Amino acid sequence: MINNNSLLNSLRSWLIALPREKKFIYTAAVDFVCAIFSLWLAFSLRLSELYVPSLEQLWVFLLAPVLVIVVYAYFNLYQSIIRYISFRFLWLMITATIFYSLLFAVIALLSGMGAEDIPRTVYGINGLVLLLVSGSIRLGARWWLSNGMDVSLLDDDGYSAREALPVIVYGAGASGVQIALALKLGYEFNPVAFIDDDENLHDHYVSGLYVYPFSKLRGAIEKYHVRNILLAMPSVPRSRRQEIILQLEPYALHVRTLPGLMDLAKGTVEIEDIQEVDIADLLGRNKVAPNEDLLHANITNKVVMVTGAGGSIGSELCRQIIRLKPEKIVLFEINEFFLYQIEKELRHQVSLLGEQIDIYPLLGSVHDKRRLEKICHTFSVKTIYHAAAYKHVPMVESNVTEAVRNNIFGTLHCAEAAIAAGVETFVLISTDKAVRPTNTMGASKRFAELVLQGLAQKDHAGCTRFTMVRFGNVLGSSGSVVPLFREQIKRGGPVTVTDEKIIRYFMTIPEAAELVIQAGAMGEGGDVFVLDMGEPIKIIDLAKKMIHLSGFDEKGVDNPKGDIEIVFTGLRPGEKLYEELLIGDNVYSTEHQKVMRAEEHVIEISELRDILKEMEQANDEGDCIRVREIMMEHVSGFKPQCGIEDLLCKSQLPG
């Protein structure tokens, strides 16, 4: 026996997928029948009997449906998508039906062909019945084609159209319709039109809003005086979103977007879901499916510890680790508030997962080797992700001794604690600034790599595997230019860029964390892994895009009346124009297409310990000049931009 629901769903899908021309034919045919039926019912109601038309009046029953189709077509009623008709459509239908009734009466009366036998009230009853019958059929079809979804009919001008900002919605699909309806309930935005790539929707009305092709966007902007556009395409690939954003950039529209499909899956889209356009969309990087075996290898059913757990990378590592179901997670963080935040977030995440995962928030410093060792022993830690570090280039340049104590000796203490406690895997979060560094931060991170490479040598690491993962800038991190540019644009500018030629590699925090976890599982001991960062981006181009996507024009010589100016401030201490990911050319592919293995210079452990002893003594004495000299001797390619005398600044205290 055939399932009735399946038949109905198949019929619904078939009707929705019909070409525009066939939909017009079917709708016009329905109106043809409705017009004849309405006229016959009008006669029957007026005469209080089942009316049988005479031969002289048959032409009237042919005239009525022809006029209905012509008038309805004139009023664009056949261009509206039945699933999304609204109050605007109903009002248009009332207007069209009144016009039809008047036109029908005039033609019938002027013709004199049996019209004298038609009661005058029939014309009015005819229009009313036609409106009720044809309108009811459309509303019923709307409900059925929408699969019973409760979509309220709203005033197409919104409740506060005069106060609300006009906005164009890019995407006339289900999410676009839902967000347009939600916007009409509020007072901030008034949706005025749709833009969509689907040619079948062009020049039609969806939910009472006209659908334009992208080629007519400028005309729509000028017609409705729009400065805002909302991307309602949460399911399209990131590469397609990048194309759309690049196409929108010349229009200086404030671009906002929906974050994803989670709310749509629940059947709701809220105003709160609207956010600023994700700058990651400009990268056009489609996510590569992770290797599940690599993701789970060092985490699932194991005790995992993250140092710097409250930082940008550390906190994202914690989020992804929780989803991989460790036995326990130890959060090690020096900042009390950051530790409180990430603990609270993870406990909520665990409750949503319905898992039993122990979370231990521990305050402490990576300088404290005894505490680190005790923690690793007490909780039987198997995997450590070492994300604790000072990373802000100008700040580190002004605080050399503290950066060395934290980035180099903090890493050493963590690694030695891991060896003493029998930790299986130790993963260092490194940076592209460690390659031929021009600043103390990069040099200290490269030296931290050398420390782990030295400890990884035979008979020194015990059962602990040391792995380093090196990557570039991450979007949205505490040191990223993106939040800085957003704040400057919000204040009205200027937007500050250090140099017109400066370029950087960028990656999203979630992607970086996921690749770090996978790379850490591939390490055999002393490996340096490099993440594929894609193509570098010019910071000046990023600044211009953010200005335009915020709805402003760039102010400059060519456009003195623009909104926001870009100002060049010069390179900061220790900053360089170009970043690299490799010191040499010895790089090899791995089982993951986004992760490469590099082979680079290693210092023998015996020599390394002598160097560290000398560096520690100089650092404890506050001799930042000698500390940097030692790094210049042993860190390949370290060429500081500022002179030795520049280190004797107010931030450095004598030992």
Side-chain angles (χ1 to χ4, degrees), residues 40-41 70 103 118 129 141 188 276 301 322 408 441 534 584 597:
W40 172 83
L41 187 59
V70 171
L103 184 62
I118 302 176
V129 173
E188 185 177 359
E276 295 296 323
N301 298 324
I322 285 292
I408 298 177
M441 194 280 277
R597 178 185 278 105

Side-chain angles (χ1 to χ4, degrees), residues 612-623:
L612 287 170
K613 185 176 181 180
E614 182 183 3
M615 179 181 284
E616 186 174 25
Q617 181 179 349
N619 209 61
D620 289 343
E621 294 173 355
D623 189 352

Side-chain angles (χ1 to χ4, degrees), residues 485-510:
F485 286 172
R486 285 200 193 280
E487 182 62 30
Q488 291 175 334
I489 292 170
K490 187 177 180 180
R491 293 199 307 261
V495 171
T496 56
V497 177
T498 53
D499 191 282
E500 187 174 5
K501 296 180 181 179
I502 194 167
I503 64 171
R504 288 292 181 266
Y505 292 96
F506 283 101
M507 180 181 284
T508 65
I509 296 177

